[in-house]
Amino acid sequence: MSRKMLFVFNPKAGKGKIKMKLVEILDIFTKGGYEIIVYPTQKPQDAYYKAMEYADRVDTIVCSGGDGTLDEVVNGLMEAKSRIPVGYIPAGSTNDFANSLFFPKTMTEAAEMIVGGNIYHCDIGKFNHQTFAYIAAFGLFTDVAYETDQDLKNILGHVAYLLEGVKRLLDIKSYHMKVETEDKVFEEDFIYGMITNSRSVGGFKHLTGKNVDMDDGLFEVTLIARPKNPIELQEVLSSIVMAEDTTSLIYSFKASHVRITSDEPVSWTLDGEYGGSPTEVEIENRHRALGIYLTSTKQEEGAGLPNVFDLDKRKIKP
């Protein structure tokens, strides 16, 4: 008896490259014993609603697109309280989630991996009443991903994000926040923050630190305090670009639960998509809540290189 699969894909993601491989991918799934329901997304949140609709009607849901498409599917399954496994064929501009788990480099190899049937259980995050797969972030540059036009992303890739982001350097806004974790409480004015379960952010590897395990029940938290002058701003930028720990303005630590309150609404991005503008945020690690088809989580050569955000130093002020 055939197993049933919902295959939902974003036809515009990553220059629409899935169109060239679609027949080959479907052939791999069919030979793997699946009866396939195929749905190309037509608008934002399509994948979310399709995942909810088919959560109890299929044996697995496979999605292809960028991290936003994966985010929609994961949210739909969590909303439906479904634990069916997810397959992912990366086809976006950055593919942070796939890079963090060292997915195969080609779409057909990813499809074959799904048919192989090995499932890895990784952590995901709960952001108030929403779910995110690998990152919740606020502040400098975080709205670039969802404000940058899809066609521009496809043409320029990472450069599109950088071009859009550079515009913000002359108008950096900070937010006064109280941050509470299992064992820490502190207040500061921050220009940027990210709570992640990822080895790659914005296409750049190792920004979240070394020794990142995506199934350890812990987030990697990075917060950047407001520079008081251009020299301190340069220190922060140099630390990020050069991967050298030369500033005390970057806070790095691990936590399974983070509560953040701010004096004003703060816009957040969840997996590159707009996540609302709350003043109070509860972020919880959902330990091994996502089952995803994956052959191996071994790091590629060079994955353990030194990093500016050395989480072992736990640079937290008293």
Side-chain angles (χ1 to χ4, degrees), residues 55-280:
D56 60 353
R57 297 165 56 181
V58 295
D59 299 292
T60 187
I61 295 180
V62 175
C63 62
S64 182
D67 293 324
T69 303
L70 175 67
D71 175 86
E72 289 187 19
V73 168
V74 173
N75 265 278
L77 290 179
M78 294 301 111
E79 183 71 20
K81 296 180 171 55
S82 173
R83 299 300 293 266
I84 64 171
V86 173
Y88 184 39
I89 299 177
S93 302
T94 55
N95 303 313
D96 284 321
F97 185 83
N99 290 334
S100 295
L101 288 174
F102 311 108
F103 267 54
K105 296 301 182 183
T106 70
M107 303 179 81
T108 52
E109 287 176 332
E112 290 168 351
M113 180 178 69
I114 292 168
V115 170
N118 294 314
I119 299 175
Y120 171 70
H121 294 277
C122 68
D123 302 338
I124 55 176
K126 181 180 180 182
F127 178 93
N128 288 344
H129 300 296
Q130 301 180 69
T131 299
F132 63 94
Y134 74 97
I135 184 171
F138 71 87
L140 187 66
F141 300 160
T142 54
D143 58 348
V144 171
Y146 55 82
E147 286 192 355
T148 303
D149 182 78
Q150 180 66 58
D151 291 334
L152 184 60
K153 292 181 189 178
N154 291 343
I155 295 171
L156 299 178
H158 298 322
V159 178
Y161 294 101
L162 294 175
L163 289 175
E164 188 69 25
V166 164
K167 301 176 185 177
R168 319 299 171 89
L169 286 176
L170 300 178
D171 186 26
I172 298 175
K173 181 174 178 57
S174 63
Y175 305 92
H176 186 77
M177 293 178 160
K178 180 179 181 181
V179 180
E180 303 171 81
T181 71
E182 301 93 315
D183 56 358
K184 302 175 182 66
V185 179
F186 54 96
E187 291 191 42
E188 183 69 89
D189 293 334
F190 295 107
I191 62 171
Y192 178 79
M194 61 181 179
I195 293 86
T196 68
N197 188 47
S198 177
R199 300 182 179 99
S200 173
V201 175
F204 299 96
K205 294 183 179 180
H206 319 307
L207 286 182
T208 57
K210 57 185 179 181
N211 302 322
V212 175
D213 292 321
M214 297 181 66
D215 62 350
D216 62 358
L218 296 171
F219 293 120
E220 283 66 46
V221 183
T222 302
L223 302 167
I224 301 179
R226 177 176 61 85
K228 297 180 178 60
N229 52 60
I231 294 177
E232 289 189 347
L233 175 59
Q234 183 60 44
E235 288 179 0
V236 170
L237 296 176
S238 295
S239 293
I240 295 173
V241 173
M242 303 302 295
E244 295 178 354
D245 191 356
T246 60
T247 179
S248 62
L249 297 176
I250 298 177
Y251 294 62
S252 300
F253 56 95
K254 291 177 181 280
S256 62
H257 178 270
V258 182
R259 185 173 190 269
I260 299 176
T261 55
S262 56
D263 295 341
E264 60 182 297
V266 177
S267 295
W268 285 77
T269 176
L270 306 179
D271 299 332
E273 304 297 323
Y274 179 60
S277 301
T279 56
E280 297 185 6

